[in-house]
Amino acid sequence: MATAPGVMIFAEQSGGTVHPVSYELLGKGREIADRLGGELSAVVMGQELESEAQELIFRGADTVYLFDHEALAAFDIMNYRLNLLELVNEVKPDIILLGATPIGRSLGPRLAAALDTGLTADCTSLEIDEQGDLVQIRPAFSGNILAHIKTSTRPQMATVRYKIMQALPRDCNRQGRIIRRESLVEEPLAVLSRVPCNRHARTGVAEAEIVVCGGRGLKKPEDLKMLQDLADAIGGVVGCSKPLVDEGWMDKEHLVGFSGNTVRPRVYFAVGVSGSSQHLIGMRTAGTIVAINRDPEAAIFEIADYAIVGDLYDLVPRLTEAIGKEQAPGEMEDALCT
Ligand SMILES: Cc1cc2nc3c(=O)[nH]c(=O)nc-3n(C[C@H](O)[C@H](O)[C@H](O)COP(=O)(O)OP(=O)(O)OC[C@H]3O[C@@H](n4cnc5c(N)ncnc54)[C@H](O)[C@@H]3O)c2cc1C
């Protein structure tokens, strides 16, 4: 327990670009570090990431630990864990935060195991209690309760869902230090192949500004084409509720909700989605929610900004057509409300 009250965030990158969840972690980390009177540090690993390291300072970090090595350019669990473990053992932060992304979910537990400490996965909120301990808050029991979890060991570790925490505004005048670290590299046992990953090549449902989400109101998998047409017309990405994943109609990467992605798009279309608590937990912070459902009592309408009662098979093609014709919003509303 005699560790410094510092907060460390792991700033993951892909293709040389830091994932925006890292800026959200810095936003929360800054708040926690200020409350504890400690330092906020960020760790970034990759190749030629000097400008990204500087950006982490603009976004709230006091210190950035930069590991620059070609073997770290792409995520490599062995070498990332090795270097992060070495650093944590030296710096001894009290709190370590990672994004609840595929990388964070892979690296976090392995680091926690090596440090012999606990980790709370998929947190949706973090607080500091009277004793200065981290309270890690996450949905439990199918999202029906919010569990408040504290870790008795140190460091306290958590993965945090993307699009939940607020990033700080970029401040180019912020000062901080970048510490270049020597990278430890172990030869891999075997590399079958490396697939270049550029997360900007395809926007996922978690990053999308507009999400068109289909639910069990759809009758067959071919009907997803109707949602894709709408998404294409408005520059959106198709998401889905869990039954569609369970049926094998869509991959889990499209899933919105407790078991999948948390999304915070500017506009969220819920099409034939009832609005279960497990679904709502993943999308309720969307900017504008447009729900299409034939049941006027559907729970989704309780949080919708625009509640459209009707048959999705009638409404969605008309909406897509109206947008395709670039009608004014008023005309679009007319098309929906008749
Ligand atoms: C541990 C656990 C984790 C879960 N995690 C998730 C999760 O991450 N995400 C998730 O989504 N669910 C999750 N679920 C499942 C969740 O409980 C619900 O079963 C699910 O969200 C329901 O999906 P739905 O709204 O598409 O289907 P339904 O609840 O069946 O709703 C279908 C809706 O479509 C409407 N509809 C039907 N036909 C039409 C039509 N022609 N036009 C317009 N509207 C129509 C109906 O009125 C209805 O409201 C989880 C459950 C558990 C137990």
Side-chain angles (χ1 to χ4, degrees), residues 20-330:
V21 72
S22 311
Y23 303 139
E24 297 177 6
L25 295 177
L26 282 174
K28 191 59 176 180
R30 184 74 269 160
E31 181 190 315
I32 295 172
D34 289 347
R35 168 88 196 271
L36 296 174
E39 181 183 74
L40 174 61
S41 62
V43 186
V44 63
M45 296 181 189
Q47 197 173 16
E48 295 172 17
L49 292 174
E50 193 78 34
S51 63
E52 295 293 301
Q54 182 59 57
E55 185 68 24
L56 294 167
I57 291 172
F58 294 160
R59 303 297 190 123
D62 299 313
T63 300
V64 176
Y65 296 101
L66 173 60
F67 292 81
D68 191 334
H69 195 287
E70 60 177 348
L72 303 175
F75 177 60
D76 174 318
I77 184 61
M78 303 299 284
N79 285 322
Y80 272 48
R81 176 190 161 281
L82 179 68
N83 285 285
L84 192 51
L85 181 60
E86 176 98 351
L87 179 70
V88 167
N89 278 330
E90 188 182 314
V91 175
K92 298 202 184 313
D94 199 37
I95 295 171
I96 302 175
L97 306 177
L98 303 93
T101 59
I103 288 179
R105 284 175 176 150
S106 173
L107 183 59
R110 286 172 170 86
L111 182 67
L115 292 166
D116 204 14
T117 191
L119 176 142
T120 305
D122 274 21
C123 292
T124 53
S125 183
L126 297 170
E127 292 171 5
I128 296 293
D129 69 8
E130 295 295 308
Q131 290 73 44
D133 292 329
L134 183 69
V135 184
Q136 300 145 71
I137 302 166
R138 56 151 298 156
F141 297 109
S142 313
N144 289 320
I145 64 158
L146 282 175
H148 288 54
I149 299 165
K150 290 209 277 182
T151 310
S152 56
T153 49
R154 292 294 183 270
Q156 303 160 94
M157 288 187 63
T159 61
V160 178
R161 281 202 178 194
Y162 180 33
K163 298 222 172 186
I164 294 277
M165 307 296 176
Q166 295 289 340
L168 292 170
R170 185 171 192 264
D171 178 359
C172 304
N173 296 318
R174 275 202 93 255
Q175 299 292 316
R177 54 184 183 148
I178 297 173
I179 299 179
R180 286 185 157 269
R181 299 277 305 190
E182 193 175 333
S183 305
L184 306 170
V185 176
E186 277 182 356
E187 283 303 311
L189 296 177
V191 177
L192 298 180
S193 69
R194 278 201 202 282
V195 181
C197 169
N198 179 358
R199 67 182 180 79
H200 294 300
R202 187 172 57 103
T203 304
V205 76
E207 294 95 26
E209 289 288 300
I210 300 175
V211 173
V212 178
C213 181
R216 196 151 43 184
L218 292 167
K219 293 179 186 140
K220 52 187 188 308
E222 293 76 29
D223 299 340
L224 283 164
K225 166 86 172 54
M226 196 167 51
L227 300 194
Q228 189 63 59
D229 290 344
L230 174 58
D232 290 345
I234 52 181
V237 169
V238 175
C240 67
S241 66
K242 191 160 178 292
L244 273 58
V245 174
D246 295 342
E247 289 296 323
W249 293 10
M250 293 199 87
D251 290 340
K252 199 180 169 205
E253 67 184 67
H254 297 274
L255 176 62
V256 174
F258 178 73
S259 318
N261 296 281
T262 301
V263 300
R264 199 196 286 161
R266 280 192 294 116
V267 187
Y268 187 86
F269 289 86
V271 182
V273 172
S274 60
S276 66
S277 59
Q278 295 89 359
H279 189 81
L280 298 186
I281 212 161
M283 46 66 70
R284 63 182 327 139
T285 56
T288 300
I289 298 170
V290 182
I292 299 176
N293 199 301
R294 67 181 179 191
D295 175 8
E297 304 293 323
I300 191 78
F301 287 147
E302 287 169 27
I303 62 156
D305 300 289
Y306 294 94
I308 305 170
V309 180
D311 189 335
L312 70 92
Y313 286 90
D314 171 36
L315 292 166
V316 173
R318 287 168 64 196
L319 183 56
T320 307
E321 196 187 336
I323 292 166
K325 285 181 186 160
E326 293 185 325
Q327 291 178 330

